Amino acid sequence: GQPTELPPHRPVFLLVSLACAGDWVRREELLGVFWPDDLEARARRSLRVLINRAKAPVWARGLESEPLRLRWRVRSDVQELRDAFSRRDWETVVRLHEQPLLAGFPLTNVPGFEAWCEVERAALVDVWRQAALYHAADLGAVGEHARAAALLGALLEHEPLAEDVLGRFLEQAYLAGDRDGALRGYARFRDRLARDLGLEPMASTRELFR
């Protein structure tokens, strides 16, 4: 129950990957993450050493090891987020995804783990995006237009060229009484779209702007 600074080394990376999985992980998958270019026999020996070192910290108790797979059943915000999504608790998903997975944590000298982290980050962002759209719709349906617009604005910060999100943002910002904010949002999108892709907004978006 005490805060612990996690050192950025392979045993912690292993535990992090198992915590995010939340269930059994095949050893072959871990070999591909940590030693993608090594011979299989050598990689398996390295994994055995890594498992023994991962069991050393007091807080790592409960790490289960079988000949073909590993599991570390521990509470994590990643699993809480996924559980909330499965029960359609959109507000909790949005609250839990405050920043990308392992943001600011140094992922050094393990390219395979860095690649794994990027895939996991993208998957969690997709979950957050879906939940945020559902939550914004729920907020708008009960008249919480300002909160809906703020949430959609956060989505646009992440995906500035998402025109479907922009349309919802324009509507909710206008209904919240923030006409100027809606117009500024449209102008930013229009200029970015022209600069990056040489395109103009779709007719339906231009109509909504008018």
Side-chain angles (χ1 to χ4, degrees):
Q2 298 298 319
T4 299
E5 192 74 22
L6 299 180
H9 56 40
R10 286 175 184 257
V12 166
F13 295 162
L14 173 63
L15 290 167
V16 165
S17 64
L18 294 174
C20 287
D23 204 347
W24 291 106
V25 177
R26 295 173 61 248
R27 291 189 179 222
E28 283 79 4
E29 295 180 34
L30 297 170
L31 298 181
V33 170
F34 290 94
W35 300 279
D37 301 321
D38 279 10
L39 295 174
E40 183 176 348
R42 178 180 173 182
R44 288 186 179 278
R45 288 195 298 271
S46 299
L47 179 58
R48 287 194 293 270
V49 173
L50 186 58
I51 293 169
N52 287 331
R53 294 196 176 187
K55 291 179 179 179
V58 174
W59 49 265
R61 65 171 63 92
L63 176 59
E64 302 174 54
S65 175
E66 294 186 355
L68 299 179
R69 58 186 188 171
L70 297 172
R71 177 171 65 179
W72 188 36
R73 291 199 287 187
V74 63
R75 289 184 60 191
S76 72
D77 53 356
V78 170
Q79 283 303 313
E80 290 177 9
L81 183 150
R82 288 177 173 151
D83 290 345
F85 187 85
S86 67
R87 64 177 184 267
R88 304 173 68 87
D89 184 354
W90 314 129
E91 185 173 7
T92 297
V93 174
V94 170
R95 175 177 56 81
L96 287 173
H97 196 276
E98 296 178 349
Q99 57 185 343
L101 177 67
L102 297 180
F105 192 65
L107 307 176
T108 56
N109 302 320
V110 189
F113 183 75
E114 293 182 53
W116 170 87
C117 191
E118 287 301 318
V119 171
E120 288 295 307
R121 282 174 177 167
L124 291 171
V125 165
D126 186 59
V127 169
W128 166 72
R129 184 185 192 277
Q130 294 181 59
L133 289 174
Y134 284 127
H135 188 40
D138 290 344
L139 289 171
V142 296
E144 295 279 354
H145 303 299
R147 291 180 61 195
L151 183 53
L152 293 165
L155 278 173
L156 284 172
E157 288 290 328
H158 180 72
E159 295 182 278
L161 295 181
E163 195 158 357
D164 60 327
V165 178
L166 174 73
R168 302 182 192 196
F169 168 78
L170 295 178
E171 180 181 24
Q172 293 301 317
Y174 178 77
L175 291 173
D178 187 13
R179 176 179 177 276
D180 291 342
L183 297 180
R184 288 194 301 270
Y186 176 86
R188 285 194 300 269
F189 173 84
R190 178 198 60 207
D191 296 345
R192 178 77 176 264
L193 189 65
R195 183 176 68 250
D196 291 359
L197 300 178
L199 299 173
E200 65 177 15
M202 294 186 299
S204 57
T205 307
R206 297 197 304 272
E207 180 62 27
L208 184 59
F209 169 71
R210 285 194 290 270

